[in-house]
Amino acid sequence: MHEMALVHPIVDTVLEHAASVGAAEVSAVHLTIGDGRDVIEDYMQGLFTFLARGTVAENAKLVITHVPYTVRCNECGHVFPLNVRDSSTWTCPGCGAHRNYHLHSGMEFTLDQIVVARFADSAVA
């Protein structure tokens, strides 16, 4: 379960940010995750909830945007989606080259946004 290694720093970052802005509650955390990370969303949410229990982020929902694998053809430069489970997608639709490409997207893992639902009274002017 590699999700734990991915979620732990996210929770730490969310809590650090919440403290720095005086947040009383975090409602959502937006992530971008490439298909190559092979994560299970339910595990991610469960681990996030577990690690954030008793904090301002304990009720936060993870909002995940998935990025598919795409590759760039080494012969013509065309970028196209690749399904690793379907060999019919392994040929460049631009020039017909077969298996002559490099990874363009699909390994992303970024924290894009932390949504603060409310601020602590002392933080409100």
Side-chain angles (χ1 to χ4, degrees):
M1 183 187 325
H2 69 285
E3 285 85 357
M4 179 65 86
L6 297 172
V7 173
H8 201 279
I10 295 294
V11 172
D12 289 346
T13 301
V14 168
L15 296 178
E16 288 171 16
H17 175 73
S20 74
V21 299
E25 182 181 1
V26 173
S27 61
V29 177
H30 293 258
L31 305 171
T32 297
I33 302 176
D35 286 347
R37 294 296 180 158
D38 198 28
V39 300
I40 299 172
E41 256 184 76
D42 290 344
Y43 287 171
M44 295 282 291
Q45 181 65 61
L47 289 168
F48 184 90
T49 300
F50 175 75
L51 292 172
R53 70 193 181 286
T55 72
V56 298
E58 70 182 334
N59 295 316
K61 298 296 178 213
L62 295 182
V63 179
I64 299 174
T65 300
H66 292 274
V67 178
Y69 279 118
T70 61
V71 293
R72 180 180 302 275
C73 178
N74 290 326
E75 293 189 29
C76 72
H78 186 77
V79 175
F80 60 98
L82 180 127
N83 180 338
V84 296
R85 294 176 179 87
D86 180 1
S87 62
S88 71
T89 67
W90 300 356
T91 301
C92 176
C95 71
H98 186 66
R99 294 188 184 187
N100 187 11
Y101 43 73
H102 63 273
L103 189 63
H104 183 260
S105 71
M107 292 304 294
E108 294 79 0
F109 190 87
T110 59
L111 190 162
D112 302 316
Q113 183 180 22
I114 300 167
V115 179
V116 174
R118 60 186 175 84
F119 291 91
D121 292 336
S122 61
V124 178

